[in-house]
Amino acid sequence: MSQIREKVDVCVIGAGHAGCEAALACARMGLETVIFTVSVDSIALMPCNPNVGGSSKGHLVREVDALGGEMGKNIDKTFIQSKMLNISKGPAVHSLRAQADKAEYSRSMRKVLENQEHLSIKQSEICEILTENIQKNILEDDAKNIQKETPENMTEYRQNEMLENASENRHKNISEYNRKRVLGVKTFTGTVYEAKAVILCTGTYLRARCLCGESITYTGPNGLQAANYLTDSLKSLGIEMRRFKTGTPARMDKRSLDFSKMEEQFGDKKIVPFSFSTDPESVQIEQDSCWLTYTNAKTHEIIRANLDRSPIYAGIIEGTGPRYCPSIEDKVVKFADKERHQVFIEPEGRHTNEMYVGGMSSSMPEDVQLAMYRTVPGLENCRIVRNAYAIEYDCIDARQLNPTLEFKEIEGFYSAGQSNGSSGYEEAAAQGLLAGINAALKCKGREQIIIDRSEGYLGVLVDDLVTKDNTEPYRMMTSRAEYRLLLRQDNADIRLRKKGYEVGLITREQMDHLERKMELIQKEIKRLRETSIGASPSNQAFLERMGSSSLKTAVTLAELMCRPELSYKVLAEIDPERTNLPTDVLEQVEIEIKYHGYIERQQRQVDQYRKMEKKKIPEDIDYDDVLSLRLEARQKLKLFRPVSVGQASRISGVTPADVSVLLVYLEHRGK
Amino acid sequence: MWSDTIAAIATGLSDAGIGIVRISGDNAFDVADRIFQSAGKRKRVEEYGSHTIHYGYVVDDGEIIDEVMLSLMKKPKSYTREDTVEISCHGGLFLLKRVLESVLKNGARLAEPGEFTKRAFLNGRIDLTKAEAVMDLIHSQNEFARKNSLQQLRGSVFKEIRELRKEILYELAFIESALDDPEHIDTEGYPERLSNVLKLLLERIKKLLDSADDGRMRKEGIRTVIVGKPNAGKSSLLNLLAGEEIAIVTEIAGTTRDTLQESVRLKDLSLNLIDTAGIRSTEDVIEKIGVERAKKYASEADLIVYVADASVPLDENDSQIMESIREKKVIVLLNKTDLPAVVTKESFLDFYREKSSLWKEEENTFRRPSSLKIEDSFIPCVINTSTREGTGMEEFENAVEKLFFDGVIRQEDEVVITSLRQKEEIREAYESLQLVQESLQAGMPEDFFSIDLMNAYAALGHVIGEEVGEDLVNEIFSKFCLGK
């Protein structure tokens, strides 16, 4: 039997939300890419909730779109309801969320992949990552360098001596870091794909098992085949693994539910698309409704009476579950004083009767599930199509990655998505895109990119994953973004599109469009700041009518806009010179002026932060050379090898004093 | 990182004739301009020539604080290679601190320990060979400041700040939960509630600030407990150190039946002195309670001053005292040297060694070996004193200072003023909460409150040496039920 050997540029393992973005980015950047999945029918599957976006996750989708990713475009094509959340709050926390037609979402993404040049899809389980040690090559490089730098008249003896010294030093370093380089992957059927870069996007499939009460199946989500071999290969490469857990509620037959007992939840009247490239007019569709109902004392009683049959409380589940997405058992136990919990009934799509029961994920046995669901108003006669279940899976400790999402110790090997210990489709897509971009840049010999905490939620997400000790699946939250006033969903294009253009995922035309927009914004802000409004009787009358205090001296239009009761729109009356500007321009103008003080303060914090991020720590730093570091800090720094002083300062156990010491050392070294 | 403007008292904290407040950084001249009133022609500080000196006043809120000389050095011709202003004041700790405070109020922040030197180094001013010394300096001073501030803050202030933080964190978590899960958590009517909470918080922080002003905060100093046999002169010592008659002193042994407290300053340190009833076996019920209390205080003390009467022989009561204080930092005063001495330094230490070897045996048989190390630290400093004549006090002060400043490198150009730093942070918290109030009044949406709430939370954290870390996320998950 002869083995098939294929040669490509990039292998992407897994075709979920991370894998799709990673593969598309690589192929669009011109690299021959192959994406592996255990089932072609499950590309871009949404195995849990039928939404894209939501608080802070909507920001991520916008950022993915700004950088040239696909998620935003795909949900714009396949949503059935859309809502801008937090609209009564500040612009920084407005967040888009759409109900997806799951099947359509998946089909549509598959079509994009299938039609993408340079990209091929392969149904195959990957069992092994192939690597080599890079020690030998470095020594050869040394030899070359020494030859290059040595004057011709130097004796061969002296050259050899230098070579030996160099190799000795290298040995010291290598024995410490043991770096490898990725060579490709091997499938279950034995085929080898040689590649320059490999991206791990295995989601929840690694050694997955699903639990529904006492019944345990060794499958991935939705009964799909688990990937049972890859964990061993990763471990043999020295990668530290973790075991996490998550869960999903039941799906019910729409015909068995009584919606008259629930509150109807509508979508927004005016729909805003996710993608900056989608024509807003094209998304004004007929929307489907969601429904709201509540649990009650009876529900909680049944759950409490059966806690001993829950795998979590019975101790069968070993993985760590997320606190932000508790099962209904958890909610009842941890918030015992709450009389009821919300339950959202959401359609899974337009061509199915299945309804998702949001808020009631569970790993209880089937009979308990049925009993507890049937206590909820409207669900008294419910028929369950798919049972709720908990899923356990292997993922990596993401602190082994650089902020580029490349493994520190394995060149060319990247990891993204749930396999990094995150959770959520949007978090996965965002990481997938970044890993894809960097893998492609690496193949092309270009410098990789890092998105930092002041540039996007994507930056916060990645930095938290690669820096902090995450003991549960990581979900994006607005409270994690310290500069969120600047990281709004409305300005994701202004923040990130240029990066997308530079790597080659955004076209010149798209960039021109953005530059025109930015120019209009700046011009209008300048005009408003310079246009003076005098204390004329007509102006005073206008202000009085608006319930605003009268003027003592002349002020600018911008100053008037800062008053809470006045807006750009109402000022039209006393601002005859204004021209007709697009809504997205006006939105930016209004925010920039109205929240100027806050934005400026935040900008100052960002400037401080960036200075620390810019202080890079050289890869070959030996922390034993840094005197005065406390033992704990030294150990942590040695273990996680942060790329910048800023990142070092965020590692738990590294104090401000240690950071000062490090700064002084680096400066010393630099001279 | 090192472009913001820092300030500190650059001379030692002594009552020398002249003291200097140094300001360094991009805004050094602006800051100086806001507080300096030239006696001559009104000119902006930055318009003065480099390396010139000017006579005038430091004015804060219209009040003249001190008559000063202001000298300025334009970058890069200064120690730090940044714009630098030095204000020479009329010495005296109080005035110096007032000047520094106005500087801090007007845009500078208090320098970290070693920060001027650090900047001098980073900006290439200091020779490379000094790098290691600088690192050690930063490290040890930070450790010292941290420990010292915590020591000073034990007790009520510490507890109050913890409470305040807890309440701020709850509000933060509520807002953030509502933002993250708007469909589960409603903010209807929240601004009114927050406004009430803020009012109370601001009042409480104001109280802290006031107490810092009149020095009450410093009362939470080093907890010093005076112990000894009855009539050894403990109360006389308290009165001597406090400079007034606090305790009743008589010839009758057992006069002090309960504990007395007083805060005194010794050099740069503040001692929270606690005088206790003499320790002896007694049948008197009230005195017995006093003795028990004395032992309890001794067990919680940072420093024990053990007053022994040198005119009578050491006895069982003394060994009982030694036993109860052997895990502590101890200074022994051999008192009443004005009378013929029965006990000398040598005989006292002999007595002690005997006891100590006894304890050691005990430990080997009955106690965990880890407590053996006590023996090393228990090498008490013994000083001859006479509280009646007031002799030996200077030696005592030096001994206290040595115990608490030991191993700390004191640099000429920087001095750690922990309490002032703490005050700065508390004021920052206060101002941040005021900003929240402003946002509330301006009708801003909830997410704007959390920016300044977080600032206040972090600032109060600095006071008690706690970082923000994952506090907020943890609070959200523990207090609010989120999720699909």
Side-chain angles (χ1 to χ4, degrees):
Chain A
M1 192 185 80
S2 68
Q3 190 186 42
I4 302 174
R5 289 187 85 88
E6 300 266 355
K7 220 173 164 141
V8 295
D9 291 321
V10 184
C11 292
V12 178
I13 309 170
H17 305 284
C20 288
E21 295 292 351
L24 285 171
C26 290
R28 285 168 177 168
M29 287 167 75
L31 295 156
E32 285 311 319
T33 308
V34 55
I35 184 167
F36 298 94
T37 169
V38 291
S39 158
V40 173
D41 301 316
S42 66
I43 287 174
L45 179 78
M46 305 171 94
C48 193
N49 57 324
N51 332 100
V52 167
S55 189
S56 75
K57 290 162 169 265
H59 290 64
L60 284 173
V61 181
R62 279 283 168 99
E63 291 176 2
V64 165
D65 189 70
L67 284 166
E70 196 61 28
M71 185 173 240
K73 294 192 186 79
N74 202 49
I75 185 64
D76 282 345
K77 284 186 267 181
T78 58
F79 76 97
I80 54 177
Q81 192 207 70
S82 174
K83 239 181 190 175
M84 185 67 88
L85 301 176
N86 279 333
I87 201 78
S88 67
K89 317 238 163 48
V93 293
H94 294 180
S95 220
L96 251 188
R97 191 196 53 201
Q99 299 295 133
D101 184 316
K102 284 185 170 184
E104 277 304 312
Y105 186 91
S106 175
R107 210 170 359 246
S108 165
M109 187 63 93
R110 177 169 161 188
K111 210 156 103 189
V112 173
L113 259 57
E114 282 173 344
N115 290 309
Q116 177 62 48
E117 208 185 336
H118 303 301
L119 179 61
S120 39
I121 300 169
K122 177 74 186 172
Q123 179 162 306
S124 231
E125 183 185 342
I126 300 303
C127 298
E128 201 183 333
I129 307 293
L130 308 171
T131 63
E132 65 174 355
N133 288 339
I134 47 180
Q135 176 173 353
K136 193 179 114 247
N137 308 38
I138 287 180
L139 288 179
E140 281 167 6
D141 287 349
D142 277 341
K144 267 184 237 146
N145 285 341
I146 285 166
Q147 228 121 53
K148 225 178 349 188
E149 285 163 20
T150 327
E152 280 161 28
N153 58 359
M154 187 179 273
T155 62
E156 199 178 319
Y157 171 76
R158 176 74 187 121
Q159 284 190 21
N160 280 338
E161 194 184 55
M162 281 178 71
L163 196 56
E164 258 170 46
N165 284 344
S167 86
E168 212 169 87
N169 288 337
R170 291 295 187 182
H171 270 300
K172 225 170 78 189
N173 285 344
I174 285 157
S175 62
E176 208 177 330
Y177 310 136
N178 196 20
R179 286 177 63 88
K180 297 186 174 66
R181 175 184 295 144
V182 85
L183 292 176
V185 298
K186 193 172 175 183
T187 69
F188 182 69
T189 43
T191 302
V192 166
Y193 286 82
E194 288 173 34
K196 295 176 195 147
V198 173
I199 309 175
L200 189 72
C201 301
T202 49
T204 59
Y205 285 78
L206 291 183
R207 291 204 311 130
R209 65 171 189 165
C210 291
L211 302 96
C212 175
E214 299 89 352
S215 318
I216 298 174
T217 53
Y218 290 85
T219 64
N222 247 341
L224 285 157
Q225 183 191 327
N228 288 318
Y229 301 95
L230 197 51
T231 297
D232 288 339
S233 168
L234 295 173
K235 279 186 180 161
S236 73
L237 294 175
I239 295 169
E240 292 278 332
M241 305 298 290
R242 298 200 140 151
R243 194 136 178 97
F244 277 180
K245 170 243 145 182
T246 186
T248 194
R251 312 296 193 275
M252 288 171 185
D253 187 333
K254 190 197 231 165
R255 295 167 304 172
S256 68
L257 307 181
D258 181 356
F259 293 106
S260 68
K261 292 181 179 163
M262 310 182 198
E263 296 163 32
E264 190 166 5
Q265 309 276 305
F266 301 99
D268 285 346
K269 289 213 170 68
K270 173 89 184 156
I271 297 169
V272 182
F274 268 103
S275 172
F276 292 101
S277 333
T278 301
D279 174 10
E281 289 314 312
S282 72
V283 292
Q284 308 305 326
I285 57 158
E286 186 93 9
Q287 299 179 68
D288 286 24
S289 288
C290 296
W291 304 85
L292 172 62
T293 178
Y294 297 91
T295 61
N296 52 46
K298 195 99 190 284
T299 326
H300 302 179
E301 199 185 299
I302 293 176
I303 291 167
R304 281 197 199 95
N306 287 285
L307 274 184
D308 56 332
R309 296 182 64 201
S310 149
I312 296 176
Y313 289 91
I316 297 170
I317 288 186
E318 40 187 273
T320 319
R323 286 173 297 176
Y324 48 78
C325 180
S327 62
I328 188 69
E329 299 91 281
D330 273 352
K331 290 188 191 178
V332 169
V333 171
K334 288 187 184 140
F335 300 95
D337 53 334
K338 270 199 97 164
E339 286 163 15
R340 60 178 202 175
H341 294 277
Q342 283 159 308
V343 180
F344 287 95
I345 309 292
E346 306 167 19
E348 293 250 302
R350 282 199 168 143
H351 307 287
T352 170
N353 271 336
E354 278 188 84
M355 300 294 280
Y356 176 88
V357 187
M360 285 188 84
S361 88
S362 175
S363 55
M364 286 286 194
E366 195 172 9
D367 59 309
V368 182
Q369 285 188 22
L370 196 61
M372 75 176 189
Y373 283 131
R374 285 191 168 168
T375 59
V376 177
L379 310 188
E380 293 88 345
N381 300 305
C382 71
R383 285 194 303 276
I384 295 178
V385 181
R386 303 180 208 216
N387 287 324
Y389 63 88
I391 182 168
E392 272 190 318
Y393 55 95
D394 290 342
C395 57
I396 67 158
D397 178 345
R399 289 179 294 178
Q400 297 161 99
L401 303 174
N402 279 321
T404 54
L405 296 180
E406 185 180 17
F407 278 90
K408 289 171 192 167
E409 312 300 342
I410 309 170
E411 230 178 87
F413 191 28
Y414 295 78
S415 182
Q418 220 150 347
S419 53
N420 279 350
S422 67
S423 98
Y425 313 138
E426 304 80 359
E427 287 87 340
Q431 291 171 63
L433 178 60
L434 182 67
I437 288 173
N438 279 330
L441 290 172
K442 174 112 186 178
C443 292
K444 294 174 159 206
R446 288 174 57 188
E447 196 189 334
Q448 303 187 47
I449 62 166
I450 290 176
I451 312 280
D452 77 29
R453 300 182 76 89
S454 67
E455 292 171 307
Y457 276 70
L458 173 50
V460 176
L461 165 70
V462 170
D463 185 63
D464 279 350
L465 283 172
V466 305
T467 310
K468 294 185 179 157
D469 187 8
N470 293 304
T471 52
E472 66 185 333
Y474 178 99
R475 192 192 90 164
M476 200 67 247
M477 296 167 77
T478 65
S479 54
R480 298 193 197 264
E482 52 276 69
Y483 312 120
R484 72 173 171 216
L485 210 49
L486 306 177
L487 310 185
R488 303 184 307 271
Q489 54 96 31
D490 59 70
N491 70 359
D493 54 343
I494 297 175
R495 290 186 277 122
L496 293 170
R497 198 134 257 211
K498 186 144 180 272
K499 278 209 159 125
Y501 173 68
E502 282 162 0
V503 301
L505 290 175
I506 293 295
T507 62
R508 183 63 247 179
E509 200 188 347
Q510 287 171 310
M511 206 49 211
D512 284 343
H513 176 82
L514 174 66
E515 278 164 5
R516 267 198 310 277
K517 174 177 163 184
M518 287 165 71
E519 203 186 297
L520 287 176
I521 295 167
Q522 288 320 316
K523 255 168 87 182
E524 182 64 358
I525 291 178
K526 189 162 177 273
R527 188 185 72 83
L528 291 165
R529 289 204 172 125
E530 287 171 356
T531 307
S532 170
I533 296 292
S536 68
S538 64
N539 286 344
Q540 301 286 36
F542 165 79
L543 288 172
E544 197 182 327
R545 204 152 17 93
M546 290 297 143
S548 200
S549 53
S550 58
L551 298 177
K552 292 189 185 74
T553 55
V555 295
T556 64
L557 279 170
E559 282 169 314
L560 283 179
M561 271 176 75
C562 288
R563 299 186 175 183
E565 65 278 7
L566 300 177
S567 65
Y568 184 82
K569 209 172 149 195
V570 306
L571 288 177
E573 201 180 317
I574 53 168
D575 180 19
E577 278 159 46
R578 75 169 53 164
T579 47
N580 225 347
L581 291 167
T583 24
D584 58 340
V585 170
L586 291 184
E587 188 181 14
Q588 294 307 311
V589 169
E590 180 115 35
I591 293 171
E592 284 290 329
I593 289 185
K594 241 185 157 54
Y595 305 112
H596 176 69
Y598 293 90
I599 289 175
E600 207 176 48
R601 252 157 62 208
Q602 193 125 77
Q603 189 58 53
R604 276 201 298 270
Q605 293 172 346
V606 167
D607 293 344
Q608 292 288 320
Y609 157 83
R610 286 226 173 112
K611 272 184 194 151
M612 298 292 273
E613 288 318 285
K614 270 197 207 135
K615 287 258 149 202
K616 297 287 177 223
I617 301 177
E619 260 186 54
D620 61 344
I621 188 170
D622 182 354
Y623 286 102
D624 287 328
D625 274 358
V626 189
L627 301 166
S628 298
L629 272 181
R630 282 172 325 112
L631 185 64
E632 187 193 0
R634 193 191 307 276
Q635 286 170 342
K636 289 272 174 72
L637 290 168
K638 270 167 119 169
L639 190 57
F640 300 118
R641 313 195 63 77
V643 294
S644 68
V645 175
Q647 196 192 358
S649 71
R650 290 187 295 276
I651 294 173
S652 74
V654 176
T655 67
D658 297 318
V659 172
S660 284
V661 166
L662 193 57
L663 272 172
V664 173
Y665 172 83
L666 289 174
E667 205 63 24
H668 185 164
R669 207 183 119 115
K671 280 169 188 159
Chain B
M1 181 206 182
W2 46 88
S3 61
D4 58 341
T5 301
I6 56 172
I9 296 174
T11 42
L13 276 189
S14 65
D15 281 341
I18 299 284
I20 294 174
V21 171
R22 176 184 286 160
I23 316 169
S24 175
D26 287 351
N27 296 322
F29 298 150
D30 287 339
V31 172
D33 204 50
R34 277 175 219 139
I35 57 155
F36 180 69
Q37 209 171 75
S38 159
K41 218 167 47 193
R42 186 83 188 109
K43 223 180 182 185
R44 286 186 58 79
V45 170
E46 66 180 338
E47 290 166 26
Y48 294 136
S50 185
H51 294 75
T52 56
I53 190 157
H54 309 271
Y55 170 70
Y57 304 94
V58 168
V59 180
D60 188 6
D61 272 342
E63 177 200 354
I64 292 181
I65 293 171
D66 197 9
E67 192 181 4
V68 301
M69 299 295 286
L70 178 141
S71 49
L72 72 158
M73 287 137 270
K74 292 192 173 168
K75 68 181 173 194
K77 289 182 169 178
S78 71
Y79 178 59
T80 55
R81 293 212 164 158
E82 298 172 335
D83 284 338
T84 300
V85 173
E86 290 186 354
I87 305 174
S88 309
C89 316
H90 278 101
L93 207 52
F94 180 73
L95 276 181
L96 266 176
K97 276 195 191 167
R98 285 283 283 124
V99 171
L100 177 58
E101 272 185 54
S102 1
V103 168
L104 297 179
K105 261 204 308 212
N106 283 285
R109 73 168 166 78
L110 193 60
E112 299 286 332
E115 199 168 4
F116 288 105
T117 310
K118 188 171 96 187
R119 288 187 180 199
F121 174 76
L122 291 177
N123 293 329
R125 171 71 169 65
I126 296 185
D127 195 271
L128 278 180
T129 51
K130 287 192 184 167
E132 281 167 22
V134 175
M135 285 193 275
D136 280 339
L137 174 81
I138 296 167
H139 186 67
S140 60
Q141 290 212 347
N142 266 314
E143 277 300 292
F144 169 72
R146 192 181 59 78
K147 272 194 221 143
N148 194 40
S149 66
L150 290 186
Q151 228 156 30
Q152 285 196 1
L153 269 178
R154 232 178 273 160
S156 61
V157 175
F158 190 89
K159 245 171 74 190
E160 172 69 355
I161 288 177
R162 276 234 157 128
E163 274 305 309
L164 287 165
R165 287 189 93 216
K166 225 169 96 187
E167 288 179 36
I168 294 172
L169 187 62
Y170 180 86
E171 300 307 328
L172 263 171
F174 175 79
I175 293 171
E176 294 301 321
S177 306
L179 297 175
D180 265 317
D181 206 348
E183 283 167 328
H184 282 81
I185 294 163
D186 197 2
T187 53
E188 189 68 39
Y190 179 68
E192 289 74 37
R193 200 187 91 206
L194 180 63
S195 174
N196 291 333
V197 173
L198 276 180
K199 242 180 259 158
L200 293 175
L201 288 175
L202 280 167
E203 264 170 40
R204 285 164 62 185
I205 297 179
K206 186 87 198 345
K207 252 187 212 156
L208 276 182
L209 275 176
D210 290 347
S211 74
D213 275 340
D214 63 24
R216 254 183 288 149
M217 223 164 106
R218 296 188 64 89
K219 258 197 171 168
E220 314 269 349
I222 298 167
R223 292 222 262 187
T224 309
V225 173
I226 308 174
V227 299
K229 278 190 298 190
N231 204 26
K234 298 182 294 299
S235 300
S236 312
L237 178 71
L238 178 68
N239 289 345
L240 189 65
L241 289 173
E244 54 185 314
E245 290 283 318
I246 290 167
I248 306 161
V249 182
T250 68
E251 293 299 315
I252 306 159
T255 309
T256 306
R257 292 179 165 221
D258 200 353
T259 45
L260 288 167
Q261 297 201 23
E262 179 57 21
S263 172
V264 302
R265 299 265 343 234
L266 276 188
K267 306 239 164 150
D268 293 346
L269 295 168
S270 108
L271 300 192
N272 192 15
L273 274 179
I274 300 171
D275 183 20
T276 62
I279 294 174
R280 65 169 173 184
S281 307
T282 175
E283 293 306 313
D284 183 323
V285 181
I286 298 175
E287 198 187 338
K288 216 171 180 175
I289 296 171
V291 171
E292 282 313 307
R293 205 167 283 179
K295 283 186 180 170
K296 183 177 163 287
Y297 275 112
S299 71
E300 289 169 357
D302 300 320
L303 170 67
I304 303 279
V305 180
Y306 174 15
V307 184
D309 188 343
S311 65
V312 298
L314 298 170
D315 58 20
E316 263 317 294
N317 289 323
D318 287 290
S319 47
Q320 202 192 335
I321 291 168
M322 286 179 191
E323 170 123 23
S324 65
I325 61 173
R326 64 206 175 98
E327 295 185 17
K328 297 286 173 185
K329 282 186 175 171
V330 177
I331 294 176
V332 179
L333 302 184
L334 281 182
N335 199 22
K336 306 198 183 174
T337 47
D338 45 312
L339 301 174
V342 180
V343 184
T344 63
K345 280 188 188 180
E346 289 71 30
S347 65
F348 178 89
L349 282 173
D350 283 345
F351 187 84
Y352 154 73
R353 276 189 206 102
E354 198 185 308
K355 294 286 153 200
S356 128
S357 63
L358 203 73
W359 296 335
K360 203 173 160 188
E361 275 168 32
E362 218 174 79
E363 275 155 6
N364 278 337
T365 46
F366 302 115
R367 288 169 210 259
R368 283 181 297 130
S370 65
S371 52
L372 278 175
K373 64 174 189 280
I374 293 155
E375 204 203 339
D376 305 328
S377 64
F378 195 88
I379 306 165
C381 163
V382 184
I383 300 162
N384 287 320
T385 60
S386 162
T387 44
R388 184 176 298 169
E389 293 174 357
T391 56
M393 285 299 111
E394 201 180 321
E395 221 183 311
F396 171 64
E397 283 182 30
N398 290 337
V400 175
E401 196 186 38
K402 194 161 167 281
L403 263 181
F404 286 86
F405 275 91
D406 217 21
V408 178
I409 307 161
R410 293 235 264 160
Q411 266 246 332
E412 273 194 9
D413 68 338
E414 285 123 13
V415 176
V416 189
I417 318 162
T418 332
S419 64
L420 193 53
R421 184 187 307 281
Q422 287 163 347
K423 192 177 157 191
E424 268 314 295
E425 298 284 3
I426 295 174
R427 177 155 57 214
E428 166 139 14
Y430 188 77
E431 282 166 5
S432 296
L433 291 188
Q434 279 181 323
L435 286 175
V436 181
Q437 248 186 350
E438 276 172 32
S439 302
L440 264 167
Q441 275 151 17
M444 299 299 282
E446 288 84 355
D447 52 310
F448 284 87
F449 309 156
S450 56
I451 302 170
D452 294 307
L453 278 173
M454 188 38 109
N455 266 349
Y457 182 74
L460 288 178
H462 294 155
V463 181
I464 56 174
E466 284 175 7
E467 295 287 324
V468 173
E470 294 288 288
D471 291 0
L472 178 56
V473 173
N474 291 337
E475 178 86 356
I476 290 174
F477 291 142
S478 68
K479 294 279 164 64
F480 303 97
C481 182
L482 300 181
K484 49 187 182 185

